[in-house]
């Protein structure tokens, strides 16, 4: 009697686990739908991060920012592909289960087609129960891969961004060579892990205790560096795949298919970001600023969230005054501060008067490094500080007078001189002026 109770007590946890496995599709379907919505929102995070890097980082560091946001975009795109595929596969699985509850399998006797035709068709089709089992396994695998991918992406992007931020904050006080030590250590560990993994997986070294022990230690240290406190959780899932690789090699093909799908999605979504700006500045790729951009005109880009170019009020001017906004990135402000003398407070003036004088000093500096030209004629303008109401970016504005325009087509040229690198960025902004429109 006691033995029977012990057996039943041991069986209960297994029954509970099996029941959970059988009913997990409900939770999977719900989480999948939520995950699809959530991961699509992550594209906004990539866009915001890209704009933030453009604003605060020195252009010399854009290449690092490019790799962070580009691989982040690929990772999120892969997640989107995974969850969308999972949703449709699980929906397909529900349909198969529903059919199986009504029809146990194919039937030759009750077929609407001829016996010969039905037998030939059934010879190329899998059994219904086999399809249900395979699709169920695929759905479960997709979920584990997707969330492993998400954990890796989150930590690595967070770690890289924090390191880049600390590097910039401490670069004025600590030598660059010292700040690069963590990155160098990371690269050394990663390269060592790559080399030893190749050697350790060669057939003749798979039973070598020393090499396999070194392999284990390097992977452990490398995982801590690359995956942080989540390394055990991620290794647990990856080892389940790796240790069962010979049983189901088709899973490797599935993961490759996900990566390919993710690349396709990323190529579609990248045009909605400013990632190309980062790579263009990193490799000094000249942008054709002579072609018209919708961002040149406020009336044409009401939904824009970050300005890379100056912005004119409208492309058709009829008023006597029209406003021009020139964004000033945070990294440019730092450059201006180093190249323009700081205003020293006058003890004889009030705090408010000193603040006004200080701002005027900065505006005078902006006047030196920002030039406005209309139809090849340099225009004297008065700049004022301004925060763009839509993008919330800091910049300067000035008002262009209609007396400097000609009837019909005009070309506004805005030149921005990089105070640090002493190079010039130039935008050509065409607009129409009609006095009696």
């Amino acid at each position: 009697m006691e033995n029977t109770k012990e057996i039943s007590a041991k069986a209960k946890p297994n029954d509970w686990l099996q029941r959970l496995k059988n009913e997990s599709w409900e939770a999977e379907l719900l989480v999948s739908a939520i995950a699809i919505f959530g991961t699509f929102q992550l594209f906004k995070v990539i866009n915001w991060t890209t704009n933030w890097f453009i604003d605060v980082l020195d252009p010399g560091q854009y290449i690092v920012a490019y790799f962070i946001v580009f691989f982040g975009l690929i990772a999120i795109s892969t997640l989107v592909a995974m969850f969308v595929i999972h949703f449709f596969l699980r929906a397909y699985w529900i349909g198969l289960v529903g059919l199986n509850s009504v029809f146990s399998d194919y039937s030759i006797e009750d077929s609407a087609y001829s016996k010969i035709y039905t037998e030939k068709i059934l010879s190329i089709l899998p059994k219904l129960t086999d399809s249900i089992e395979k699709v169920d396994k695929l759905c479960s695998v997709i979920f584990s891969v997707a969330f492993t991918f998400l954990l890796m992406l989150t930590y690595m992007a967070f770690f890289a961004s924090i390191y880049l931020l600390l590097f910039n904050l401490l670069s004025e006080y600590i030598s660059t060579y010292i700040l690069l030590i963590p990155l160098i250590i990371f690269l050394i560990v990663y390269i060592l892990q790559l080399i030893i993994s190749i050697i350790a997986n060669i057939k003749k070294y798979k039973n070598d205790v020393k090499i396999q022990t070194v392999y284990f230690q390097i992977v452990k240290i490398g995982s801590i560096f690359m995956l942080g406190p989540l390394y055990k959780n991620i290794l647990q899932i990856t080892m389940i795949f790796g240790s069962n690789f010979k049983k189901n090699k088709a899973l490797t093909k599935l993961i490759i298919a996900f990566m390919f799908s993710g690349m396709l999605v990323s190529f579609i979504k990248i045009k909605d970001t400013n990632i190309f700006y980062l790579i263009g500045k990193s490799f000094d790729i000249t942008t054709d600023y002579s072609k018209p951009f919708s961002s040149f005109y406020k009336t044409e880009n009401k939904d824009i969230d970050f300005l890379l170019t100056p912005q004119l009020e409208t492309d058709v001017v009829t008023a006597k005054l029209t406003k021009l906004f020139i964004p000033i990135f945070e990294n440019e402000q730092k450059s201006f501060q180093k190249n323009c003398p700081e205003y020293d407070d006058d003890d004889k003036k009030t705090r408010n008067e000193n603040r006004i004088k200080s701002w005027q000093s900065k505006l005078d500096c902006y006047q030196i490094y920002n030039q406005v030209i209309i139809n090849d004629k340099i225009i004297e303008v008065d700049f004022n500080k301004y925060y763009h109401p839509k993008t919330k970016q800091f910049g300067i504005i000035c008002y262009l007078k209609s007396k400097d325009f000609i009837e019909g087509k005009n070309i506004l040229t805005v030149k921005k001189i990089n105070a640090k690198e002493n190079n010039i960025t130039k935008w050509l902004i065409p607009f129409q002026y009609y006095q009696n429109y």
Side-chain angles (χ1 to χ4, degrees):
M1 188 70 177
E2 290 180 1
N3 292 336
T4 306
K5 289 182 178 179
E6 287 179 7
I7 293 170
S8 61
K10 290 179 181 178
K12 283 182 181 178
N14 293 331
D15 293 342
W16 172 83
L17 183 61
Q18 186 59 47
R19 189 168 63 254
L20 183 64
K21 288 179 181 178
N22 295 336
E23 297 174 359
S24 66
W25 66 269
E26 297 174 349
E28 280 186 28
L29 200 59
L30 178 61
V31 173
S32 182
I34 297 171
I36 291 171
F37 174 79
T39 47
F40 268 107
Q41 302 310 305
L42 289 176
F43 287 118
K44 295 179 181 179
V45 177
I46 289 292
N47 189 46
W48 180 89
T49 306
T50 303
N51 296 336
W52 184 75
F53 280 145
I54 291 171
D55 189 33
V56 303
L57 291 183
D58 184 279
Q61 297 175 344
Y62 278 178
I63 185 64
V64 180
Y66 166 76
F67 281 111
I68 292 174
V69 294
F70 181 70
F71 285 115
L73 178 65
I74 292 177
I76 291 171
S77 299
T78 305
L79 281 175
V80 168
M82 284 182 180
F83 287 129
V84 170
I85 292 171
H86 173 273
F87 184 83
F88 284 105
L89 278 177
R90 185 53 81 180
Y92 173 60
W93 179 85
I94 292 171
L96 291 178
V97 171
L99 279 175
N100 186 241
S101 66
V102 179
F103 307 109
S104 58
D105 210 330
Y106 308 107
S107 174
I108 297 176
E109 290 77 13
D110 300 322
S111 176
Y113 312 101
S114 68
K115 183 178 179 181
I116 297 172
Y117 174 80
T118 302
E119 288 177 343
K120 288 185 178 295
I121 285 290
L122 295 184
S123 66
I124 63 171
L125 296 179
K127 288 186 177 180
L128 187 57
T129 51
D130 290 344
S131 295
I132 290 172
E133 185 179 353
K134 286 181 180 178
V135 173
D136 186 43
K137 288 181 178 179
L138 283 176
C139 290
S140 299
V141 167
I142 291 172
F143 241 71
S144 60
V145 172
F147 279 102
T148 302
F149 211 58
L150 181 61
L151 290 173
M152 293 174 65
L153 159 69
T154 303
Y155 175 76
M156 294 180 74
F158 177 78
F159 176 79
S161 299
I162 292 297
Y163 176 75
L164 196 58
L165 183 61
L166 290 175
F167 184 93
N168 282 279
L169 289 174
L170 300 174
S171 58
E172 294 183 7
Y173 312 102
I174 302 174
S175 171
T176 303
Y177 297 106
I178 296 175
L179 292 174
L180 286 173
I181 289 175
L183 179 61
I184 293 169
I185 293 173
F186 176 85
L187 291 174
I188 289 172
V189 172
Y190 179 77
I191 292 169
L192 282 175
Q193 181 176 333
L194 189 64
I195 293 171
I196 194 67
S197 65
I198 294 172
I199 295 172
N201 285 293
I202 296 174
K203 190 174 182 180
K204 68 176 182 178
Y205 294 123
K206 283 192 173 183
N207 294 319
D208 191 304
V209 177
K210 289 184 179 180
I211 290 178
Q212 295 301 319
T213 303
V214 171
Y215 182 33
F216 161 73
Q217 294 294 342
I218 292 292
V219 168
K220 182 181 176 182
I221 295 170
S223 298
I224 293 172
F225 267 99
M226 288 183 283
L227 306 175
L230 302 173
Y231 82 98
K232 286 186 178 180
N233 307 86
I234 296 172
L235 280 178
Q236 183 181 40
I237 296 174
T238 55
M239 276 306 296
I240 290 172
F241 279 103
S243 60
N244 289 283
F245 172 75
K246 293 179 181 179
K247 288 183 182 179
N248 199 338
K249 294 182 180 180
L251 294 178
T252 305
K253 296 178 181 178
L254 180 66
I255 294 171
I256 292 172
F258 288 148
M259 294 299 296
F260 181 74
S261 301
M263 291 292 289
L264 289 178
V265 174
S266 66
F267 289 148
I268 295 170
K269 298 297 291 185
I270 196 170
K271 62 181 177 59
D272 297 329
T273 70
N274 291 318
I275 292 176
F276 286 130
Y277 182 87
L278 288 171
I279 195 67
K281 284 291 183 181
S282 298
F283 293 102
D284 198 26
I285 299 172
T286 304
T287 303
D288 182 11
Y289 291 115
S290 61
K291 68 179 183 180
F293 289 84
S294 63
S295 59
F296 284 160
Y297 315 105
K298 185 178 180 180
T299 53
E300 300 297 319
N301 57 92
K302 295 179 181 179
D303 296 328
I304 198 166
D305 56 3
F306 191 82
L307 279 170
L308 298 172
T309 68
Q311 187 182 74
L312 200 60
E313 195 72 16
T314 179
D315 59 331
V316 180
V317 178
T318 58
K320 291 184 178 180
L321 288 176
T322 187
K323 184 165 62 179
L324 172 67
F325 172 76
I326 304 174
I328 304 293
F329 298 152
E330 191 173 321
N331 61 69
E332 292 176 320
Q333 294 183 55
K334 294 177 182 177
S335 177
F336 290 142
Q337 288 171 4
K338 291 180 181 178
N339 288 275
C340 295
E342 283 286 330
Y343 173 78
D344 294 324
D345 288 349
D346 189 343
D347 295 335
K348 296 179 181 180
K349 296 182 183 297
T350 65
R351 182 180 178 183
N352 191 49
E353 288 175 333
N354 279 317
R355 187 185 294 114
I356 293 171
K357 286 287 185 181
S358 176
W359 264 112
Q360 187 57 52
S361 175
K362 290 180 179 179
L363 289 173
D364 292 339
C365 181
Y366 296 148
Q367 195 91 34
I368 296 171
Y369 293 103
N370 293 272
Q371 194 175 66
V372 177
I373 302 167
I374 298 177
N375 300 323
D376 298 325
K377 180 184 176 182
I378 297 175
I379 305 298
E380 294 294 330
V381 293
D382 291 323
F383 286 121
N384 287 303
K385 65 174 183 175
Y386 188 75
Y387 285 91
H388 196 279
K390 181 66 175 68
T391 67
K392 310 303 179 185
Q393 288 173 262
F394 171 76
I396 50 178
I397 62 165
C398 63
Y399 294 90
L400 308 179
K401 301 174 183 177
S402 62
K403 66 178 183 140
D404 296 316
F405 307 157
I406 60 173
E407 193 79 8
K409 184 179 180 180
N410 292 260
I411 300 294
L412 167 65
T413 304
V414 179
K415 287 184 179 180
K416 181 180 287 190
I417 302 169
N418 188 306
K420 182 180 179 181
E421 300 175 6
N422 199 30
N423 60 15
I424 297 174
T425 302
K426 182 171 68 174
W427 294 272
L428 302 181
I429 307 176
F431 67 94
Q432 300 290 324
Y433 172 67
Y434 299 105
Q435 185 176 3
N436 300 312
Y437 180 70

